Amino acid sequence: MAKVGRGGGGGGGGEGGGFMRGMVLAPPASPPNPIVLLQARLKDLETGFRGWLAKQSIAVEAAVVTATNAAQGAAIGGLLGTLTSDLSSALPATPNNVAGLNPEAISSFKNAQALAGGPLVQARNFAVMAGANAGISSVMKRIRGVEDVQSSMVAAFGSGALFSLVSGVGGPNQAANAVTSGLFFALFQGGMYMVGQKFSPSPTEDTHYSQTRGLLTSLGLQKYENNFKKGFLTDNTLPLLTDSALKDVNIPPGPRLLILDQIHSNPELRKGS
């Protein structure tokens, strides 16, 4: 009996060893890419920020948009000012007290100094242009409900006029210079906008998604419009939308909450088209 037991134990051990040798261990899972995780996190933060901003008043949205874009403009201007600091230091002082000097020459000196200033000067100039343009654009979009060439030109006029007043570009008549600079900025911006519209494919207006498009735009979630179209979630379905329906068209949890909250708080959307 003892021998049989030892033989059986040995056989069992051999079978177990063969089973273990036949197993293929799965390779360890690779760690997630930190860059991809960071990008996803930033995208979620941006979506949440846009959703929060869309619920604020016009004054709050304009102030926040102006401040954030002014900070970005200041950073870009400071960098450019650092690169052009040698040029600004090579310019002579403005000869204001030289008798008989052509006023246009003095104005040219001032323009050159304003456009070739150091980091602080360029940071100020770019902050004014970027902040004013973005702030006015946000106000125009809230008031008119659309972002078109007219809104773009109005924003450019305001940024150009403020840039002229702050930088001192132009002659002694600051009011006239502000209007002239504003018109130049507006015409340039309008021309660039029209060129961009001409060479970019214009999407066909789909009347079945007009309310949906407005809803997503107000929340900063325009990128999910195609999700609605793939799921045939038209304007007529807005009052019927549920979390599971939005989940079925691959819309993340955060945007789903914002969309449903906007529909429930807006009587027009609850009625549908």
Side-chain angles (χ1 to χ4, degrees), residues 195-219:
V195 169
Q197 290 291 104
K198 182 177 181 180
F199 289 97
S200 62
S202 56
T204 304
E205 185 69 18
D206 194 342
T207 57
H208 296 291
Y209 294 93
S210 58
Q211 283 187 319
T212 302
R213 188 177 300 109
L215 164 66
L216 296 175
T217 301
S218 67
L219 296 174

Side-chain angles (χ1 to χ4, degrees), residues 87-224:
L87 177 61
S88 60
S89 61
L91 292 174
T94 306
N96 290 323
N97 299 326
V98 178
L101 188 62
N102 189 344
E104 294 182 358
I106 297 178
S107 176
S108 299
F109 271 114
K110 291 183 177 180
N111 293 345
Q113 288 174 337
L115 297 175
L120 293 180
V121 173
Q122 294 291 13
R124 177 202 63 191
N125 293 344
F126 275 79
V128 169
M129 287 190 293
N133 193 297
I136 298 173
S137 294
S138 68
V139 172
M140 294 295 295
K141 185 176 180 180
R142 275 288 192 98
I143 294 175
R144 304 181 68 242
V146 65
E147 188 174 359
D148 54 10
V149 64
Q150 287 85 359
S151 298
S152 179
M153 292 181 68
V154 170
F157 178 87
S159 64
L162 288 176
F163 167 74
S164 176
L165 294 174
V166 171
S167 64
V169 172
N173 192 339
Q174 293 187 350
N177 295 329
V179 173
T180 302
S181 298
L183 289 175
F184 173 78
F185 274 59
L187 292 175
F188 179 79
Q189 182 87 348
M192 295 299 295
Y193 187 95
M194 296 301 293
V195 169
Q197 290 291 104
K198 182 177 181 180
F199 289 97
S200 62
S202 56
T204 304
E205 185 69 18
D206 194 342
T207 57
H208 296 291
Y209 294 93
S210 58
Q211 283 187 319
T212 302
R213 188 177 300 109
L215 164 66
L216 296 175
T217 301
S218 67
L219 296 174
L221 303 175
Q222 302 93 318
K223 64 179 182 179
Y224 295 115

Side-chain angles (χ1 to χ4, degrees), residues 25-51:
L25 297 178
S30 58
N33 191 334
I35 297 179
V36 175
L37 293 177
L38 179 61
Q39 290 176 341
R41 178 59 178 168
L42 292 176
K43 179 61 69 175
D44 291 339
L45 291 175
E46 180 184 0
T47 301
F49 175 75
R50 288 179 179 273

